[in-house]
Amino acid sequence: MLVLILVACKNPNAPTNTVTGEVLGVDDSYISVNCSDEAKGNEQPQISMMYGCKVRITDDTTFSNGNMEDLSDDSKVKVKLTKKMDIDAQKKSSLNVTAKEIIIK
């Protein structure tokens, strides 16, 4: 049982089903969102590197409080993902996610 606790403590990034942050860029089928909080996990707070998640928008993606045309750089959003992801700054592929729902704040 002790081994399980130690393993859990070593993984700073628990899988998440949401990403919350500022929109960094908008494209036809993608938006880039600042996902630094999710990507950093337990890194020291003084590390100021910013991480952007590439969020894929599909025909199944829904919008709350607006639509795709309402998104611009600096918009604040909460993105519900299609599945739980382990967003890890060390694994660049984990920074590519698919949106189930985008809530514009």
Side-chain angles (χ1 to χ4, degrees):
M1 185 143 158
L2 181 60
V3 174
L4 292 175
I5 293 170
L6 291 176
V7 171
C9 291
K10 286 185 86 175
N11 182 7
N13 298 333
T16 183
N17 60 358
T18 61
V19 172
T20 303
E22 186 175 286
V23 174
L24 303 173
V26 180
D27 196 355
D28 290 335
S29 58
Y30 290 91
I31 60 173
S32 180
V33 176
N34 179 346
C35 61
S36 297
D37 290 341
E38 291 85 358
K40 288 180 184 176
N42 287 335
E43 283 185 13
Q44 298 300 319
Q46 66 267 24
I47 297 174
S48 62
M49 184 131 183
M50 183 177 72
Y51 298 97
C53 283
K54 186 175 182 181
V55 179
R56 182 171 174 244
I57 299 170
T58 69
D59 291 337
D60 296 327
T61 302
T62 60
F63 285 84
S64 295
N65 303 330
N67 56 42
M68 183 73 173
E69 289 76 31
D70 295 322
L71 292 175
S72 62
D73 294 1
D74 300 330
S75 295
K76 306 277 191 241
V77 295
K78 178 177 184 176
V79 179
K80 292 185 180 180
L81 307 178
T82 56
K83 63 180 180 179
K84 282 193 169 196
M85 296 287 298
D86 183 12
I87 297 175
D88 185 345
Q90 303 304 312
K91 299 176 189 168
K92 298 299 180 195
S93 64
S94 76
L95 300 178
N96 294 314
V97 298
T98 302
K100 176 180 179 179
E101 179 182 10
I102 297 175
I103 302 164
I104 302 171
K105 295 185 168 200

